[in-house]
Structure formats: C-alpha cells, structure tokens
Amino acid sequence: MQGTIDGFSYGLVTPLVAYLMACLGGALGLRCTTRSMLVSHSWRPGWLALGSAAIGSGIWTMHFVAMMGFTVRGTPIHYDKAMTFASLAVAIVMVGVGIFIVGYRGTRGTALFTGGTITGLGIASMHYLGMASMSLDGKLEYNTVTVGISVAIAMGAATAALWAAGQVRGFLWSVGASLVMGLAVSGMHYTGMAALSVHLHGTAAPTSGESPAALLAPMLIGPLAFLLLAGVVVMFDPLIVMGKPTVAPVEQKPGIPAHTHVSHSAHRLRFRPRRTVEHRGSRTPQNR
C-alpha cells in the first residue's frame, strides 16, 4: 500500500527554521574558512576545523528540523539514535576534508573541484544516512534520477560556497554566500525528499527507535549550542569582518616589513626636493 507523505505538517515553520539553520552554519563556516587564509600556518588548522564543524552542524540541524515536519499517514516514525548522530559525524568529517583541501590548496582548479565534490558528497551522505535512520511500518524507495539531481545540487552548492570563501571580499559578501548556500542545501534536502516514496506493510508490528520528540532536545541543545559558541568566537575575532588585507601576510615575506615598498617610495620623494632646493639656492662668485 502506498503511503501518503506530508513534508510540511507544520506549514512553513519547519522549512524556514531549517533554512535559517543552514544559513547560520554556512555563514560561520565560510567566515572561518576565510579567516584561515589570513593567518599563519600554525593557526590555520584550528580555523578550518571550526569551519568544518560549523557547516556540518548547520546542515545536520537543518535536516532534522525539516524532518520534524515530515509525516507518513498510517504509520508512526521513529529514529535510530546511533545512526542519527553518525550522520552528524559523517557530515563534519567529509565537509572537513573538502574544506582542508581548499584551505591549503586554494580555491581554483583541481583543488576547488575536489574540495567542492567531497563537501557536496558529505552533505548528501548526511541526508541519506539520516533518512536511513528512520524506522516505520513500511519500505522507503527512491527515484534514482531525482536522487542524482539532489547530489548534483549539493556538489554545486558546496563548490560555489568554497569559491566564495576564497574570494575574501568582506562580511557582506560572506553573508550573501551563506544565504545562497542555505538555499542550495535546503533545495537539495527537499529535492531528495521528492525522490522518496513509502510502501506501507500494513502490519501492526511496533517500530523501534527514538521518536522525533525524544531527539528534539539533543538536536537543538547540542549543535545549536556549538553554533552559538562558534558565532561568539567569530564575532570577537578582530579581522573576521575586514576581509582580505591589502598587503601579503608577514609570514609570506620573512624578514621584510609589510610596508617596505611604501617606505622606499617615501624615501625617494624625500630626497628629490632637496636636490631642487640646493640647485636653486646655490650662488656662484660672479653673482655676489
């Protein structure tokens, strides 16, 4: 028997909140990735790890907030807790691999393509692993073409977001990129949900696992607390809203001051007027 699926049982509340979670995680992750490109190598791993955890937590929270509005008429839905949080670990690890590639290899060519592909696959893996954690009186089936489209959306969104992080054009640029990333991640989620169909067994056998209400508290308290903490770290960083500096970092020019070229220019300008004044002020014995 075909089950009736409703992905918006709470109206627009769950899609909007899910979108905001994706934007928040994306904004923090992109700013941390941007910040990692402005610091020395010793600090770079920390910023990249923080960005990976922020993006992974954001998309994971987005997914399960959206799933709070998902129902199948005729059967209750439960979730396996271990698999649910395993999807969070997969998201953070795979997103982290992609971000570290871009953080150390740059946002061009093969590095950008590889990092974006791995990050996008991490987003898609999190989604479908989270869907596999559902337990209900029925069988989940997916349309292969629609699933492929959702994975392509995730990869394209991740690549575009990593490219935007590498541009380092200031706070507003990152906000715009995070809004686009949130829209793309949400679009990937609901495209994947459109690929789903449920065939009910029609049995009265109870399903195992945690209910959505039992997962709501740790889902909100854990990752959201981390996102708020990451937001505090980002906001109090002195360079996080300044974008790319106009000169290369000092560690890229060992032993050379950052504004050496300005000093040489000023030095040349300081001696030219002296030669002119000396020429005009000199008098020969014939003029005395």
Side-chain angles (χ1 to χ4, degrees):
M1 180 176 63
Q2 188 75 23
T4 302
I5 297 175
D6 184 6
F8 305 94
S9 59
Y10 292 103
L12 294 178
V13 174
T14 49
L16 289 177
V17 175
Y19 172 70
L20 291 177
M21 292 300 100
C23 291
L24 176 61
L28 294 177
L30 292 179
R31 290 309 297 168
C32 290
T33 305
T34 294
R35 186 66 177 87
S36 71
M37 300 176 184
L38 306 177
V39 297
S40 61
H41 287 280
S42 60
W43 285 93
R44 187 170 298 175
W47 281 107
L48 292 176
L50 182 61
S52 305
I55 293 179
S57 299
I59 61 177
W60 184 84
T61 306
M62 173 266 156
H63 172 83
F64 283 100
V65 167
M67 291 304 295
M68 297 305 296
F70 177 80
T71 59
V72 179
R73 185 177 301 175
T75 179
I77 299 176
H78 301 276
Y79 291 87
D80 179 81
K81 183 178 291 186
M83 190 175 294
T84 297
F85 289 102
S87 66
L88 172 61
V90 168
I92 293 176
V93 170
M94 293 192 68
V95 169
V97 172
I99 286 181
F100 268 79
I101 290 175
V102 170
Y104 280 95
R105 297 295 182 181
T107 56
R108 293 182 180 179
T110 305
L112 177 61
F113 176 78
T114 304
T117 299
I118 295 176
T119 302
L121 290 177
I123 296 172
S125 299
M126 180 279 306
H127 173 86
Y128 289 105
L129 186 58
M131 295 297 295
S133 69
M134 289 194 307
S135 176
L136 47 81
D137 184 26
K139 180 182 179 182
L140 304 181
E141 295 183 354
Y142 293 93
N143 180 278
T144 305
V145 175
T146 310
V147 169
I149 294 174
S150 68
V151 174
I153 292 174
M155 293 169 57
T159 302
L162 293 178
W163 174 83
Q167 302 309 301
V168 197
R169 296 182 182 176
F171 181 74
L172 293 180
W173 175 268
S174 295
V175 169
S178 65
L179 293 177
V180 174
M181 183 179 182
L183 182 63
V185 171
S186 299
M188 175 270 158
H189 172 85
Y190 286 105
T191 301
M193 297 304 296
L196 175 67
S197 60
V198 179
H199 291 272
L200 299 179
H201 298 319
T203 63
T207 57
S208 60
E210 299 289 339
S211 65
L215 286 178
L216 179 61
M219 180 178 66
L220 293 178
I221 294 176
L224 277 180
F226 169 77
L227 289 175
L228 291 176
L229 179 62
V232 171
V233 173
V234 168
M235 285 189 300
F236 283 93
D237 183 76
L239 295 179
I240 205 66
V241 296
M242 296 175 60
K244 188 175 183 179
T246 57
V247 297
V250 175
E251 65 270 11
Q252 296 182 8
K253 296 182 177 183
I256 301 177
H259 295 280
T260 304
H261 64 284
V262 177
S263 300
H264 289 331
S265 176
H267 181 74
R268 288 194 300 268
L269 291 176
R270 188 168 60 248
F271 279 96
R272 285 179 182 175
R274 288 183 179 179
R275 290 196 299 267
T276 303
V277 172
E278 183 180 355
H279 175 72
R280 291 179 179 177
S282 63
R283 290 185 173 90
T284 62
Q286 291 82 355
N287 294 331
R288 290 183 178 177

